[in-house]
């Protein structure tokens, strides 16, 4: 498929999607949505891909939903097209997705990063939910996901004042998993994705499913889910291989990759 707003590449078993609307700081319009979700679905179905990285430019991961595209919409327009609901497609992707964030990740950009499985940030990253300055509020999950990442006080502060959080604050608050110099961002994200893609794919996918379950359910139900899935893993050839390799002091050669 020919994409116009994103670049799509594969690096061995890693799929790389680069948001590419530099003139609009990667603002997320409906075409970007369609293309990102389409590319993710294609990677998810491709058995040669084990993990995915989404990134933007050094200046902007994404400066938000496209304000110019949505400015004149009516309530009925927004309701009938179920504005932004299409991004839910990203959360149905079963393989791990890493967001590699440099520069601005604002509004929908911050929300897109939070839909991924984890965020690696460059030192120049800036996260924010500035929708309040536009007379609206987060509409792609920010009021819910940011609160789960950083807690109520910081989420309220960010959503109500619209202030930005730098990479250091984002790491201290649990929004991002690691911070690296801007020049090393892609390399670090690809390396993490490559590590993941080297493991047993079913084990990786089940692990992602279990961690995500912790957001959806009670602790008791989540623990029960974890145990069931953990027990099921003893049906994997890769479990036998992984444990045999440890005992035999060699590296594992997983079949289901
Ligand atoms: C459309 C955008 C855009 C956006 C930037 N641009 N952000 N276009 N939608 N979200 C465009 C600008 O209009 C400009 O185009 C070009 O990108 C460069 O931006 P500048 O503002 O000139 O750059 P700079 O001075 O460096 O400032 C960077 C910035 C600023 C601080 C990131 O662009 C900014 O504040 N952007 C908006 C951030 C925001 O409010 N995001 C939340 C959106 S709402 P031209 O053609 O003028 O050169 C959202 C949630 C939706 O995401 C859910 C609620 C409805």
């Amino acid at each position: 498929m020919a994409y116009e707003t994103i670049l799509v590449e594969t690096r061995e078993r890693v799929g790389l999607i680069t948001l590419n609307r530099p003139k609009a700081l990667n603002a997320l319009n409906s075409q970007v949505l369609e293309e990102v979700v389409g590319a993710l679905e294609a990677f998810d179905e491709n058995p040669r891909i084990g993990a995915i990285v989404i990134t933007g430019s050094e200046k902007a991961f994404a400066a938000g939903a496209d304000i110019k595209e949505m400015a004149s919409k009516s309530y009925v327009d927004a309701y009938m097209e179920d504005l932004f609901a299409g991004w839910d497609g990203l959360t149905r992707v079963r393989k791990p997705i890493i967001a590699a964030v440099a520069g601005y990740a604002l509004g929908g950009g911050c929300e897109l990063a939070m839909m991924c499985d984890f965020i690696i940030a460059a030192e120049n990253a800036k996260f924010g939910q500035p929708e309040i300055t536009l007379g609206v509020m987060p509409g792609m999950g920010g009021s819910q996901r940011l609160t789960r990442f950083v807690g109520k006080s910081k989420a309220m502060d960010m959503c109500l004042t619209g202030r930005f959080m730098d990479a250091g604050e984002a790491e201290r608050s649990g929004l991002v998993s690691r911070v690296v110099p801007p020049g090393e961002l892609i390399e670090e994200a690809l390396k993490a994705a490559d590590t993941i893609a080297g493991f047993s794919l079913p084990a990786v996918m089940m692990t992602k499913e279990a961690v995500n379950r912790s957001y959806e359910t009670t602790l008791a139900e989540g623990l029960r889910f974890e145990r069931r899935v953990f027990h099921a893993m003893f049906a994997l050839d890769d479990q036998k291989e992984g444990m045999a390799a440890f005992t035999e002091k060699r590296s594992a050669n997983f079949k289901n990759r």
Side-chain angles (χ1 to χ4, degrees), residues 44-72:
D44 212 23
E45 283 165 18
N46 182 343
R48 292 182 302 281
I49 294 295
I52 302 161
V53 173
I54 300 185
T55 194
S57 69
E58 197 158 315
K59 174 151 191 204
F61 176 72
D66 192 314
I67 299 168
K68 293 164 191 169
E69 186 184 61
M70 71 184 151
S72 62

Side-chain angles (χ1 to χ4, degrees), residues 19-86:
L19 303 173
N20 189 31
R21 290 188 74 208
K23 288 190 186 130
L25 300 183
N26 292 330
L28 306 168
N29 64 12
S30 45
Q31 187 180 359
V32 178
L33 188 167
E34 212 170 284
E35 294 189 356
V36 169
V37 172
L40 285 169
E41 285 170 351
F43 281 143
D44 212 23
E45 283 165 18
N46 182 343
R48 292 182 302 281
I49 294 295
I52 302 161
V53 173
I54 300 185
T55 194
S57 69
E58 197 158 315
K59 174 151 191 204
F61 176 72
D66 192 314
I67 299 168
K68 293 164 191 169
E69 186 184 61
M70 71 184 151
S72 62
K73 283 188 196 300
S74 68
Y75 167 69
V76 173
D77 296 333
Y79 178 81
M80 293 308 283
E81 73 184 66
D82 209 357
L83 188 60
F84 304 138

Side-chain angles (χ1 to χ4, degrees), residues 180-200:
V180 297
E184 293 169 22
L185 177 67
I186 289 298
E187 194 188 324
E188 182 85 0
L190 288 173
K191 209 164 75 184
D194 190 60
T195 299
I196 294 167
F199 296 132
S200 164

Side-chain angles (χ1 to χ4, degrees), residues 7-12 14-18 43 49 53 55 190:
L7 305 173
V8 178
E9 301 160 65
T10 55
R11 306 277 177 95
E12 300 194 0
V14 175
L16 174 62
I17 298 174
T18 306
F43 281 143
I49 294 295
V53 173
T55 194
L190 288 173

